[in-house]
């Protein structure tokens, strides 16, 4: 609880209440001035189409809930979701993916603090009733509210409901898991009548009671390894046991994977040993079925692994932003921002640009190369479509902020010799390559980074 | 409107009100009895883990809205979403993906028929107020309702809001498009206070006014081609102009892609020319920005392409179910159901099974092969984990119902010679192959099917 307060107060402090205009293409600051890292990150994310413009939207982003994402943010989220999914479902043959519904038919579930979806019109019709007393009106409204379907806060309940039908898949044998990713809704806390959405990831693992603690350790290690795999600075990701006093009643042990944001630590993923209580509540009619083969005398225990992918995305963006300072020709301190996202996560792998020249022919070369790369599932930024000429430094600065792995410059020379210049984001070194080698070079580079 | 009525009445007719118990592994019917195709489809989808068990869930599935999907249904939906995404975003360099939020901060939007997310507790607190009159109570509730955030019915509005920020990406040049997939909510119509969710696909295309009709034709052709590409019987998918009397006020032309379900035609995807009215409403402050380069004197027109992927999934399941009859040894008519899903869409590409023998060693071979295939992104069904022996006919019948492309039988012989039997779902022919060829064979097969 204390942590939450710190975070909220930090977010409301003046340094974060930044005006969100489109900034210049790269900012230059006076020598000695230290740029605020949060401000720089948010501005870069807006300028480079990771998140959409708008103060409210940036606020959602910083709070670690879903916001409106631009093309680059969307691709980054797709890549992250894909990697999470692979890491969980391919780690063993015993994890199955499911997809449950957001709106529960079980209107009685959830209790009074539940968020529900209501049809405004049905309420209006009751409001307009003239001939009923205040008490009757309240009763009618209360009934309507209770008949309105609740929306889910997490994916846990849905997975419990799928436990019994999934037993057939594993021949009744433990352990096994059910994986799901999807939108969940949370009260936003602030003004009292708003809600936020979060892209959650969930693995619900069913195992014998005596192995649940080992499995918690196993999954904690696996998850931390996963987060660190894609980090530029892995030590910012950490894991730790949740203090006993913070545990819910049904939970016997918990571990949190944390990220060290500029404003403090926040949890990205949480693992709980939840015992068998909730599983028994959900499936009391089928108690006998629950007694699985491995351990006939007891009901399986549940280990839940729940993550917030929106906050995870912000963690990787924050982690990969490198701010380099250099003094430019006019003796001004210039800041270069490079978004060193992991090659697997980077939303754009390569930008294709043309230097001045016979643009029609050069564009055709670009289009051909783009087609070839897209077929190999390498995402391309069609910089060659830009009609206004830009200096090479501006272009490099822009692509570095976008996190583009390689910039390829097609020139007159390419038409004659097939050679083009390839600049790496991470080394800033320019190499000359033949156009026929490009596809293989990129595919090898990305898959090598993936297998480290 | 007439169409909708027909559909609903069909769904309530006795033939569809099927009891949804788990059926036997494959059903045998008396000679002369014609099995109801809808009933067979739903039962197969439940038995084979496409959709979760439960009468309410099957009803959602048949109505073409999101239901709870099992592991196979989830994979099918993932594959479909992936294919839709590729077909739209890779078809041209000018389509960008976006992701907008479900909950709009703009509480005034939407009007009275809007679905809203409310916090039950806030309502309860007002219900409990003693000292207010009926009129005051109604006013407080009305204000609370209007402050509660609406949830989206479609993705269209979100894309319009992203039009101006996206102009920079295309250097202000038309045409270009914004693509998005995501959950939307709809009133369920029935009891008056329920709602359904739908996985929608949306392409919003911005073009010059004089080209909008050509673009409608272009995208209609593209979309129909896409649906038919994955169909077993392409003629069940069709497209047609929407009659003028069914068009909304802002729409000047419309095309629907329809699927011919056993109970009648239903729309899968709808294309509208929506003119510039809504774009102007959304962005009136930036009218000058809207006047793009291609055609300086006018605001771009909008062509929207909106699909329902849940219904699309049911269309492909329905389309690919082949019911074959044969007389078995005991002179009973036996029905064989084969789910001939397109190789790209099939959720499981290969099942690995073992025939009787030294199971420990055979399982190790299976595990190695599974690992190899999963790394090549070929989805595997680990049939070898099943401990109870099943006859080969039962196994084939089961995998045919699951739509598994190939069944591989690892035997004692594999340990000695490396050879194994590969059975094809579509030809039912068994071939002998060397284990080292399997991966390449499958990858070639799938990519060949993808490129037809």
């Amino acid at each position: 609880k204390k942590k939450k307060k710190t975070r909220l107060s930090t977010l409301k402090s003046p340094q974060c209440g930044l005006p969100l205009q489109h900034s210049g293409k790269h900012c230059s600051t006076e020598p000695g001035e230290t740029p605020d890292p949060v401000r720089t990150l948010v501005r870069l994310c807006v300028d480079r189409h990771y998140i959409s413009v708008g103060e409210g939207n940036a606020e959602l982003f910083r709070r670690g809930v879903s916001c409106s994402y631009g093309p680059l943010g969307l691709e980054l989220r797709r890549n992250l979701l894909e990697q999470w999914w692979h890491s969980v479902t391919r780690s063993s043959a015993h994890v199955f993916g499911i997809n449950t519904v957001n709106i529960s038919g079980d209107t009685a579930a959830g209790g009074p603090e539940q968020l529900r979806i209501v049809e405004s019109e049905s309420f209006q019709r009751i409001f307009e009733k003239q001939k009923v007393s205040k008490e009757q009106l309240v009763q009618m409204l209360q009934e309507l509210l209770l008949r309105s379907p609740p929306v889910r806060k997490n994916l846990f309940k849905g997975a419990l409901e799928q436990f019994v039908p999934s037993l057939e898949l594993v021949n009744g044998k433990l352990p096994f898991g059910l994986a799901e990713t999807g939108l969940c809704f949370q009260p936003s806390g602030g003004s009292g009548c708003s809600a936020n959405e979060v892209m959650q990831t969930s693995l619900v693992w069913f195992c014998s009671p005596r192995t649940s603690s080992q499995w918690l350790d196993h999954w904690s290690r696996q998850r931390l390894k996963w987060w660190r795999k894609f980090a530029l600075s892995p030590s910012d990701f950490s894991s730790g046991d949740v203090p006993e006093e913070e545990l819910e009643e049904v939970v016997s042990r918990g571990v949190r994977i944390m990220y060290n944001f500029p404003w403090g630590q926040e949890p990205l993923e949480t693992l709980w040993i939840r015992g068998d209580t909730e599983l028994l509540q959900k499936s009391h009619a089928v108690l006998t079925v629950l007694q699985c083969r491995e351990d006939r005398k007891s009901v399986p225990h549940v280990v839940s692994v729940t993550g917030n992918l929106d906050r995870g995305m912000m963690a990787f963006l924050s982690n990969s932003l490198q701010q380099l300072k250099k003094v430019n020709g006019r003796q001004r301190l210039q800041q270069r921002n490079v978004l060193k996202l992991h090659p697997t996560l980077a939303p754009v792998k390569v930008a294709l640009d043309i230097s001045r020249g016979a643009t029609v022919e050069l564009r055709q070369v670009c289009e051909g190369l783009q087609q070839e790369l897209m077929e190999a599932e390498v995402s391309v930024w069609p910089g060659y479509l830009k009609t206004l000429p830009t200096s090479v430094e501006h272009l490099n600065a822009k692509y570095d902020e976008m996190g583009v792995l390689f910039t390829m410059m097609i020139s007159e020379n390419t038409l004659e010799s097939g050679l083009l210049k390839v600049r790496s984001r991470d080394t800033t070194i320019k190499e000359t390559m033949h156009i026929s080698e490009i596809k293989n070079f990129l595919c090898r580079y990305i898959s090598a980074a993936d297998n480290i």
Side-chain angles (χ1 to χ4, degrees), chain A residues 3 18 29 69 106 113 204 215 244 304 380 422 425:
Chain A
K3 189 141 284 150
L18 47 148
T29 46
Y69 295 112
D106 182 9
E113 79 290 356
V204 178
W215 281 115
E244 214 163 303
S304 70
V380 174
V422 178
R425 173 197 73 183

Side-chain angles (χ1 to χ4, degrees), chain A residues 421-434:
Chain A
K421 284 255 187 300
V422 178
R423 175 186 179 270
S424 153
R425 173 197 73 183
D426 296 338
T427 64
T428 72
I429 289 170
K430 285 176 193 162
E431 277 185 89
T432 303
M433 263 184 229
H434 195 271

Side-chain angles (χ1 to χ4, degrees), chain A residues 50-118:
Chain A
Y50 277 91
I51 66 173
S52 300
V53 71
E55 208 165 331
N57 198 52
E59 176 63 24
L60 292 175
F61 173 68
R62 278 176 290 155
R63 281 177 42 218
V65 298
S66 288
C67 68
S68 198
Y69 295 112
L72 270 74
L74 171 80
E75 277 302 314
L76 173 58
R77 190 157 93 156
R78 281 173 61 87
N79 292 344
L80 253 181
L81 273 168
E82 190 72 10
Q83 291 302 319
W84 184 90
W85 191 257
H86 284 181
S87 80
V88 169
T89 59
R90 290 194 190 156
S91 62
S92 100
H94 306 283
V95 176
F96 298 92
I98 55 169
N99 185 86
T100 62
V101 284
N102 216 308
I103 299 175
S104 160
D106 182 9
T107 51
E113 79 290 356
Q114 192 72 34
L115 293 172
R116 292 172 187 269
I117 288 200
V118 302

Side-chain angles (χ1 to χ4, degrees), chain A residues 190-232:
Chain A
S191 60
C193 57
S194 192
N196 291 131
E197 53 197 278
V198 173
M199 179 55 81
Q200 278 199 5
T201 58
S202 158
L203 169 68
V204 178
W205 186 253
F206 304 95
C207 59
S208 72
R210 62 183 169 75
T211 58
S212 60
S213 205
Q214 281 158 266
W215 281 115
L216 181 77
D217 294 333
H218 167 84
W219 285 113
S220 303
R221 278 195 306 274
Q222 290 294 315
R223 298 310 307 140
L224 182 61
K225 215 169 104 184
W226 182 84
W227 288 100
R228 288 184 167 169
K229 177 182 170 182
F230 300 108
L232 185 66

